[in-house]
Amino acid sequence: MILQVLAVLAGAWSLVEMAGHDPGAYTQGLELHEGFLYESTGTYGRSSLRRTDPSTGEVLQLRRLPDSLFAEGLTFISPERMLVLTWREGVVLAVDPVTLETVDTLTIQGEGWGACFDGENVIRSDGSEILRFHDPTNMRVTDSVRVTLAGIPQRNLNELEFARGTVWANQWQSNRILAIDPASGDVLGIYDMSALYPGSGS
């Protein structure tokens, strides 16, 4: 039964373009916005926010974060404001995308892994099978959904993107991207990205 479901859900993809990237950057959050690629990088003592030229991979602007913070996922909630999660610190940074300066801090309960914005809610992953929905103004939890495939919980949900009414989540320690229905938590498709990087997933 599970094998049949996987066969039906397996998604096709094609590589459109490649660009260089700093091999020392431990990418956590990644989002295209107004022609630039915004990136948050993790690890204590090395976390940073970056604006990059997506065609060349050149880092155009970089701001280091305090050594006490491990930056995780990021998402834009307006053209003038993006939110950056931290891993275990319970802190969400509100950042000006022009200066990459922190203009406000919000708080959450639990870990921060990935984040995306559906136009109304910030959707957050924390490494479990649960996606939590937050009010973007204060990060108060308003709802949650359990992500499953044929009834089996899908853990290690990591960086998130929202497009075409769907949440897209890379599954840490695998080479899979899951397409998730944000209303039900059902996995709609599985994209195996092993051909891009045949080593262990991240």
Side-chain angles (χ1 to χ4, degrees), residues 135-167:
D135 182 329
T137 63
N138 55 24
M139 290 302 289
R140 182 176 62 84
V141 175
T142 59
D143 204 354
S144 65
V145 69
R146 188 169 182 252
V147 177
T148 60
L149 171 60
I152 299 173
Q154 298 298 297
R155 298 183 59 81
N156 283 353
L157 302 176
N158 198 11
E159 172 57 1
L160 308 176
E161 302 298 337
F162 185 84
R164 302 175 185 173
T166 301
V167 174

Side-chain angles (χ1 to χ4, degrees), residues 9 59 102 109 128 183 185 187:
L9 294 180
V59 177
T102 298
Q109 295 293 320
S128 71
V187 174

